[in-house]
Each structure stands twice: as C-alpha cells, then as structure tokens.
Amino acid sequence: MKLFVTVGNSTEPFNRLMHWVDSALVETDLAVEGVCQFGASTFHPRLLRPVQILTRPEFENELSRADAVICHAGVGTLFLAMREGHVPMVAARRSAMGEIINDHQLE
C-alpha cells in the first residue's frame, strides 16, 4: 500500500499526528511505503520517506500515486485529496496543543 501523509504548510509542528502514524505503521502487518510531508514537525514516521516541503506539482503527484491519504484538516489539502478520489483520514490541529493558532480545523 502506498501512503501519503501531509501536514500542510503551517509553521507549527503537528507531532501528534506524526506519532499516531508512526505507531500505526510499526504495529501493522501491511507492507506500507510512501511519503510523509512533515512540515515544521520535529518527528516523522520512520517507515515513510520524510519530506519537509513539497511543491504544488510534487504534492499533487503524491496524491495521485497514493492508495491512502492521512492529513491535517486544511481545506486546501482536503479539497485536493477528494478531487483525486480519496476519502482522507483527517486529524484536526489543536490550538491547546500548540499545533495551530486557533481551532478552526476542529470547528
């Protein structure tokens, strides 16, 4: 399975999502490969190729090649993932956890 994980271009890290993905991948028996666009996060899943930033064409290429998408609740990311035919697994950034300036993704 080819997985694409992305946290968008926020200046705040999203280590909580990175740890969730890492734990899930380590615990699964599935053969998983793919890319993790980790942005400002200081941790990234060990079993995926880490990329800090992707250009728009690179981002769209990863979406088109992915079997599954895990992402933050950014409207642009969600729109592009759904346009590509994905039903993404989504996690909202939380302001109380220092992941974003307000809870607009949760709302």
Side-chain angles (χ1 to χ4, degrees):
M1 175 196 311
K2 182 143 179 75
L3 182 63
F4 180 47
V5 178
T6 179
V7 299
N9 59 9
S10 179
T11 58
E12 295 85 11
F14 199 5
N15 289 321
R16 184 169 52 102
L17 178 61
M18 299 292 96
H19 283 286
W20 285 344
V21 171
D22 185 66
S23 294
L25 293 179
V26 169
E27 294 174 13
T28 187
D29 292 333
L30 295 173
V32 177
E33 64 175 344
V35 171
C36 175
Q37 181 271 314
F38 63 90
S41 302
T42 57
F43 178 84
H44 47 79
R46 295 167 280 179
L47 300 178
L48 300 175
R49 182 172 59 89
V51 178
Q52 184 173 19
I53 298 170
L54 295 169
T55 64
R56 175 75 177 253
E58 292 169 332
F59 182 89
E60 290 180 358
N61 183 51
E62 291 303 330
L63 275 176
S64 70
R65 297 175 56 216
D67 297 311
V69 175
I70 300 173
C71 61
H72 70 130
V75 68
T77 298
L78 294 174
F79 173 78
L80 291 172
M82 289 186 290
R83 184 184 75 183
E84 196 61 43
H86 294 289
V87 178
M89 293 170 264
V90 182
R93 291 174 175 266
R94 302 291 307 272
S95 63
M97 297 178 169
E99 299 165 342
I100 201 160
I101 58 171
N102 60 41
D103 283 329
H104 73 277
Q105 287 191 355
L106 185 62
E107 295 165 356

